[in-house]
Amino acid sequence: MKRQKSVRTILLSIFCTLLVVTVLCFAVCGGYSLYTSEQELLRHNQASLDVYLKDLSYTMQELEKFNQDITANNLDFVTLSLDYPELVGAHQIESRMNVQRLIRNRVGENTGILLFSDKDEDVFFANGTHFMDEFFPSGAVSPEGIEEMQRIRSLWLSETPPPTQCWVSYVTDDTTLLMNAYTYQGVYLCALVDVDAFSRFYTENNELTAIEYAFLTQERVLTNTDFTESRGITVEEMLRAVETPVWHSATCLLQTAVNDTHGVGICGIISLGGIWNHLRVYVILLGGTFLIICLLFVSIYHLLNQLLLFPLDQITDATRQINEGATAIHSQPESIQEFQQIQDALEQLVQQKVSLAKDNMHQTYQKEHALLQYYQLQTRSHFVLNCMKTIYSLTVKGDQEKTMKIIGLFSNHLRYIYHDSLSLVPLRSEMVEVQDYFSIIELERSDHILLNQNVDPSLWDFQVPPLIIQTFVENFNKYNAQSDHILRFSIRVDKVHLDGRDYVRIRLTDNGVGYSEEALKSLQEMQQADGMFERNHVGVQNLCRRMDILYQKQYKRAFLNSPGGGALTVFYLPMELDEESPQTNRGEEL
């Protein structure tokens, strides 16, 4: 059998598929947007690194050119390096003032130039007016600044000085400098670049506040060392980020630009907070759009669910109510015109169904009535012929009293057995018929026959099919001719409870010859041959067929022979019938 599917399930599957496809497309587009936004952030940061590095490189290059020009071409600087007594005095002071003036005009806020000699007796310095505020506050040389410059001078004059005419790093707890010194005959001109000041300036002026900048050389990190050490970022990782960005521990992204000429680089460290600050607008827009799409899909699904499944639900509900026996559909007025038309059509359909059911029930009743009448006419009782013979015999004998009595009893019997077979009668009426029938038997038989009755008094008004007891009394009389012993027929009627239901039990027993094996098998199986009734026990078979129609197989029956001899018949009639039984509302007392 082909597997059946629900329309609601199919509709839900279609919408789920559409939603999944939409979400996947949205995820791809959203992911691509986030990727392009991230690449834009990286390009922006790379551009910033290039600008900052060019700025620093340009500053270093200009300072380097200045040193070269002064040491090679400036007569005042050469004069300072000469060791002639005649230059002592006004000429030497004038040369020093000229060199200092050139230095002040050249240096900027984050740079400085240090001028000193290798002779202790000829120590003099010059610097930029705003270089290192902690050393030169308000343009004046502080004691701390003098000490720092003395340490720098001592480094260049030490036994293992740094190489001249190239940039070297100078790092202390308070200062990070890049130095480039030129010397001529013991006079040094040292250019200084404060990379800490450059780093602070770039960080403060950057649009993405979550980006940290660190200057570095091939050997070490120059600035922001506390931050890089706390994150575990090494120089090697920074240098690997020159060509392509490198993730560090999935917490920050590294981008590096390096100037190979000066051997210095700058690394931009972008934290997740910085990435989020740049991408949060896109993420919020994507999340809001995704939520709107989901709500839109759910709303459309519910709307289509109502529009498409409403007719099916209405038909299903109407079918259920019809199966439960409803004569009208219980529904609420609808605001949508088409839905109301569907409800009106279903109500008309139910009315037509009820009308057809009534017509069908009437036709069934007529058919069953005709069938039962047919069964009634099929009963060929030999008793009728015997009664006619008895009346004829008594008339010939002139026994008027017996003739009148048997004619009265016989007329009551005929009126009872030929009434409407679909009508039920009280048990009392059936017992009166049985008593009259026994009276007729006693008048025509010469032997003795006894009738025992044991009926629950509360069941006298219980409705039973007519002839349910009389038929077996007639069979008892028919198959038990004149006997040398007293014949006895017993009737017991009481109430029992079987299988959760109350029944009226009718037990009919006798001490006659009982059922033959052939008759017993026929009664138990209720078989028919070629559409004709069995010739034996026609009355019993017709009674069972009438009871099948009246009770719709809601009763029980049993036919058997007693161990001590005689027939035993038991009927269990339900005290309450289901609504579909034709017996309902058809009972009618005689």
Side-chain angles (χ1 to χ4, degrees), residues 178-209:
L178 289 175
M179 302 186 301
N180 190 337
Y182 280 74
T183 181
Y184 182 78
Q185 295 183 1
V187 180
Y188 287 81
L189 191 63
C190 181
L192 305 175
V193 176
D194 188 354
V195 290
D196 275 332
F198 273 92
S199 179
R200 287 193 300 270
F201 176 78
Y202 297 153
T203 301
E204 291 172 358
N205 291 274
N206 187 58
E207 297 178 358
L208 300 176
T209 57

Side-chain angles (χ1 to χ4, degrees), residues 216-229:
L216 69 149
T217 64
Q218 296 291 336
E219 295 80 18
R220 62 185 300 176
V221 179
L222 299 178
T223 62
N224 238 340
T225 55
D226 293 338
F227 178 79
T228 55
E229 289 176 358

Side-chain angles (χ1 to χ4, degrees), residues 7-146:
V7 175
R8 182 175 282 103
T9 302
I10 296 175
L11 182 62
L12 181 60
S13 301
I14 293 174
F15 264 86
C16 288
T17 303
L18 291 177
L19 181 60
V20 170
V21 172
T22 304
V23 169
L24 290 177
C25 295
F26 183 80
V28 172
C29 295
Y32 179 75
S33 299
L34 293 178
Y35 172 77
T36 54
S37 301
E38 180 185 4
Q39 294 301 312
E40 179 185 355
L41 171 65
L42 295 177
R43 287 193 295 270
H44 171 78
N45 187 54
Q46 186 66 49
S48 300
L49 293 177
D50 294 338
V51 171
Y52 299 155
L53 185 60
K54 288 181 179 179
D55 184 22
L56 177 63
S57 300
Y58 177 78
T59 301
M60 296 170 66
Q61 184 178 358
E62 290 298 315
L63 288 175
E64 186 177 359
K65 288 181 179 180
F66 177 79
N67 286 356
Q68 291 176 355
D69 184 64
I70 293 297
T71 56
N73 302 318
N74 189 271
L75 295 177
D76 291 321
F77 181 81
V78 174
T79 301
L80 292 176
S81 64
L82 295 178
D83 188 14
Y84 294 109
E86 59 270 17
L87 292 178
V88 177
H91 292 88
Q92 193 175 34
I93 294 174
E94 182 181 0
S95 297
R96 183 188 304 174
M97 293 297 295
N98 291 333
V99 173
Q100 288 179 349
R101 189 180 301 110
L102 291 174
I103 292 174
R104 289 191 184 97
N105 293 332
R106 182 65 189 84
V107 297
E109 294 183 356
N110 303 321
T111 61
I113 297 177
L114 182 63
L115 179 64
F116 61 90
S117 173
D118 58 356
K119 301 180 178 60
D120 294 339
E121 63 273 15
D122 294 328
V123 176
F124 52 90
F125 303 96
N127 62 279
T129 55
H130 302 291
F131 176 65
M132 294 193 303
D133 292 339
E134 66 271 21
F135 298 147
F136 308 102
S138 302
V141 179
S142 65
E144 293 81 2
I146 294 175

Side-chain angles (χ1 to χ4, degrees), residues 369-388:
H369 187 276
L371 184 61
L372 290 176
Q373 293 296 336
Y374 173 73
Y375 288 154
Q376 187 77 6
L377 293 175
Q378 288 294 321
T379 304
R380 294 177 290 179
S381 175
H382 71 286
F383 175 76
V384 176
L385 298 178
N386 290 341
C387 284
M388 297 298 294

